Amino acid sequence: MSTRVRVRFAPSPTGYLHVGGLRTALYNYLFAKRNDGVFVLRIEDTDQSRKVEGAVDNLIRTLDWAGIHFNEGPGRDANHGPYVQSQRLTIYRDHAHELIRKGHAYYCFCTPERLDELRKQQAAEGKGQAYDRHCRALDPAESEKRAASGERHVVRMRIPEYGELTMRDVIRGEVTFKYDVLDDQVLIKSDGFPTYHLAVVVDDHLMEISHVIRGEEWLPSAPKHVLLYRYFGWELPVFAHLPLLLNPDKSKLSKRQGDVAVEDYRAKGYLKEAIINFVAFLGWNPGDDREIFSMEQLINEFDLERVGKAGAVFNVDKLNWLNQQHIMLKPVEELTALVRPDLEANGIMGIDESRLRAAVALMRERIPFVIGFAESARYLFVAPDTYEEAGVKKNWDAETGPRMLALAERLSAMSAFETAEIEGAVKALAEELQIKASKLIHPTRLAISGRTGGPGLYELMAFLGKPEVVSRIRNAVEKINLLVLGA
Ligand code: GLU
């Protein structure tokens, strides 16, 4: 095995990248980066029935978007390819034959009907389902002939009947499995394709993978893999099985309870920085109370030793919070570039760059996602034509209209229309009218934005500018008066 750290992410191309897959990819990438190692992308497409057109391109695009770049993989060959399993079939067949020659594997000619019958019988007897090893006793020379003559067959691995196997896992320590719970695993299927178990071991060895970092769901398969390494006489890689991802109710993370595809979160406008930060914490933490991490910081601090065994809960509130934190950290220019497409998709075109930057600066504490900016910030660019009903009910009565017109008058006479001056003018008028400032503030917000919440009112007014504010107030008085007073 190479002394250099070499890790891999080995997804099956199902059409989208699951957040669990992103976590596996990220941990491998961080571990490689931190150890000056190589990160390999390998496509495990041996299950031809699950093949999805365009899945590999989509996967690579999503990883690239997330900032997880592989050193070797499809299209980036470096002496260990091909990196797509369906292009490596002869390699697996040769290795299966090696195992047969060594007596560690055998041909199995059992028909699907016989296996079906067996399963039914085992179910009726309340037994666990396992192959009864019928063909294990066949004469090897005889089997070889039958296979060579074209008789339909699979190749199975020979699992010891008694005893147990102990292996080390960085995250779990020593783990022991009893052989009698392991089936004589199929290694080559009747269509000539390898199963995952054979392919993964052969590839990890030939690609000189030093550390196998993958999800806990593969732990039950690990003893079969360890046995295969022994059968081939190969050195074992280091294993690290990452904790399961759970829904908040502690069930296994599933589509049923929310989105699991990274693309879905991307489409909703979550920042990749937030997604990466969030996913990094699904099983790992820095050992203190810091929570906001950039990719650079993660690379500097990530450590397999700090990955826990306990299932990691996928908490969307936490993701939302992190997204907000990363929005606050992002330079205004970058956020501006991110929100422009959303504005344009909503028909708000051609906003001047410096104007848009000012809008983003005003709203950034309130942008939950970059997508949705147009909806929550539309009134920064377009006068409202509706007014929140509850706000009108609460903040507008017969006396409001005349007060608002007085305010419009006062504002239009101002020379400097900046935050402090606007605040001074509003408060002075409230005093003269002997009312609380809030009697002007709430209706003004409603009049100029149509809403009851938003950024600081005086900043918002300064952003809109005097003529726009005055005209919006006058407009609102007309429209809301109609609503409220029916006049
Ligand atoms: N192809 C497996 C998957 O889809 C990879 C498991 C492994 O990393 O060994 O997750």
Side-chain angles (χ1 to χ4, degrees):
M1 198 197 309
S2 138
T3 47
R4 186 154 189 210
V5 164
R6 288 178 57 87
V7 293
R8 81 320 190 258
F9 175 48
S12 299
T14 53
Y16 66 93
L17 180 59
H18 189 285
V19 284
L22 181 68
R23 198 251 329 242
T24 304
L26 177 65
Y27 283 18
N28 276 285
Y29 173 75
L30 294 174
F31 186 74
K33 278 281 185 191
R34 175 152 169 115
N35 292 287
D36 198 18
V38 175
F39 176 48
V40 178
L41 175 67
R42 182 174 71 230
I43 303 299
E44 303 208 328
D45 61 345
T46 55
D47 187 350
Q48 291 290 294
S49 63
R50 291 177 56 200
K51 231 178 156 152
V52 178
E53 225 33 67
V56 175
D57 288 344
N58 183 42
L59 192 90
I60 293 177
R61 243 197 331 273
T62 308
L63 287 175
D64 262 346
W65 168 79
I68 300 176
H69 308 294
F70 56 93
N71 307 101
E72 289 179 28
R76 291 180 209 167
D77 204 324
N79 294 325
H80 292 86
Y83 297 89
V84 177
Q85 288 188 329
S86 58
Q87 296 167 15
R88 301 171 61 83
L89 299 182
T90 49
I91 301 177
Y92 308 126
R93 271 177 227 151
D94 290 349
H95 281 86
H97 285 131
E98 181 183 333
L99 291 179
I100 294 172
R101 273 199 311 278
K102 290 181 171 165
H104 296 309
Y106 59 92
Y107 292 105
C108 169
F109 302 95
C110 291
T111 59
E113 293 73 33
R114 175 173 188 276
L115 295 176
D116 216 36
E117 213 32 61
L118 179 66
R119 266 193 292 273
K120 278 189 197 138
Q121 199 181 321
Q122 286 171 338
E125 290 168 12
K127 283 192 195 156
Q129 306 213 328
Y131 177 57
D132 63 357
R133 297 176 172 167
H134 180 76
C135 294
R136 189 161 153 154
L138 298 178
D139 172 49
E142 189 60 30
S143 293
E144 193 64 57
K145 266 194 219 142
R146 285 171 69 182
S149 75
E151 186 173 342
R152 188 189 151 95
H153 64 270
V154 301
V155 176
R156 289 183 184 269
M157 97 186 252
R158 205 181 269 271
I159 303 274
E161 275 170 83
Y162 311 104
E164 55 187 32
L165 177 148
T166 297
M167 62 176 283
R168 261 200 69 74
D169 181 282
V170 180
I171 296 166
R172 281 142 227 282
E174 286 200 342
V175 194
T176 298
F177 300 86
K178 288 203 180 337
Y179 285 130
D180 61 11
V181 298
L182 301 182
D183 212 354
D184 271 7
Q185 178 65 50
V186 172
L187 298 177
I188 299 278
K189 295 178 275 188
S190 59
D191 62 3
F193 276 72
T195 55
Y196 155 70
H197 304 280
L198 176 66
V200 79
V201 168
V202 168
D203 287 348
D204 283 344
H205 173 73
L206 294 180
M207 295 181 183
E208 299 188 86
I209 299 302
S210 61
H211 294 70
V212 169
I213 305 169
R214 61 184 174 192
E216 180 176 329
E217 61 273 27
W218 302 106
L219 187 62
S221 304
K224 295 177 192 170
H225 302 172
V226 170
L227 256 186
L228 286 173
Y229 278 96
R230 288 189 191 160
Y231 287 170
F232 282 117
W234 294 336
E235 198 185 328
L236 283 176
V238 175
F239 285 101
H241 287 91
L242 309 174
L244 287 178
L245 298 189
L246 307 175
N247 292 305
D249 68 1
K250 301 285 161 79
S251 59
K252 198 172 163 204
L253 185 68
S254 68
K255 244 189 158 126
R256 209 163 24 87
Q257 302 209 16
D259 291 322
V260 291
V262 176
E263 291 90 318
D264 293 339
Y265 291 94
R266 180 181 178 184
K268 283 186 193 159
Y270 284 95
L271 295 184
K272 65 178 180 199
E273 289 83 354
I275 296 179
I276 290 296
N277 191 161
F278 175 69
V279 163
F281 272 70
L282 293 174
W284 172 88
N285 69 69
D288 52 41
D289 54 10
R290 286 171 304 151
E291 293 190 281
I292 315 296
F293 277 78
S294 66
M295 186 71 104
E296 270 321 297
Q297 290 168 314
L298 288 169
I299 290 170
N300 287 331
E301 302 210 22
F302 181 79
D303 187 354
L304 277 180
E305 309 289 331
R306 292 211 54 84
V307 175
K309 278 196 283 245
V313 175
F314 189 96
N315 177 350
V316 175
D317 294 337
K318 176 86 185 279
L319 172 59
N320 290 342
W321 178 78
L322 280 172
N323 199 54
Q324 192 61 60
Q325 302 303 310
H326 281 278
I327 283 178
M328 295 303 289
L329 287 174
K330 245 194 189 320
V332 169
E333 306 80 78
E334 271 183 52
L335 280 177
T336 305
L338 287 171
V339 300
R340 193 180 280 285
D342 184 49
L343 285 175
E344 296 185 348
N346 284 280
I348 304 173
M349 320 295 275
I351 307 293
D352 175 77
E353 180 68 16
S354 65
R355 186 97 186 119
L356 188 50
R357 280 189 196 175
V360 165
L362 190 65
M363 295 297 281
R364 67 175 357 195
E365 281 171 48
R366 291 179 180 73
I367 308 179
F369 310 111
V370 177
I371 298 211
F373 180 80
E375 208 214 286
S376 52
R378 167 173 280 276
Y379 63 80
L380 297 186
F381 311 103
V382 185
D385 49 12
T386 57
Y387 304 90
E388 261 178 43
E389 227 180 281
V392 170
K393 236 185 208 147
K394 191 158 165 229
N395 299 310
W396 207 286
D397 58 27
E399 288 167 276
T400 312
R403 287 176 190 156
M404 283 294 106
L405 290 177
L407 178 62
E409 200 66 26
R410 193 62 64 94
L411 296 175
S412 60
M414 287 174 68
S415 46
F417 201 73
E418 298 303 332
T419 309
E421 285 77 8
I422 299 169
E423 179 170 4
V426 171
K427 290 196 167 148
L429 180 62
E431 218 161 279
E432 281 169 38
L433 296 174
Q434 295 185 333
I435 52 173
K436 281 199 242 141
S438 60
K439 289 275 181 207
L440 293 177
I441 291 173
H442 296 316
T444 304
R445 180 184 293 287
L446 198 60
I448 64 176
S449 71
R451 306 199 174 198
T452 50
L457 179 67
Y458 308 123
E459 282 90 3
L460 173 61
M461 292 167 81
F463 171 85
L464 291 172
K466 189 167 83 174
E468 183 68 18
V469 168
V470 168
S471 117
R472 286 191 187 188
I473 291 178
R474 292 194 169 133
N475 236 329
V477 169
E478 234 172 78
K479 286 196 181 145
I480 300 180
N481 269 354
L482 263 181
L483 279 176
V484 176
L485 310 172

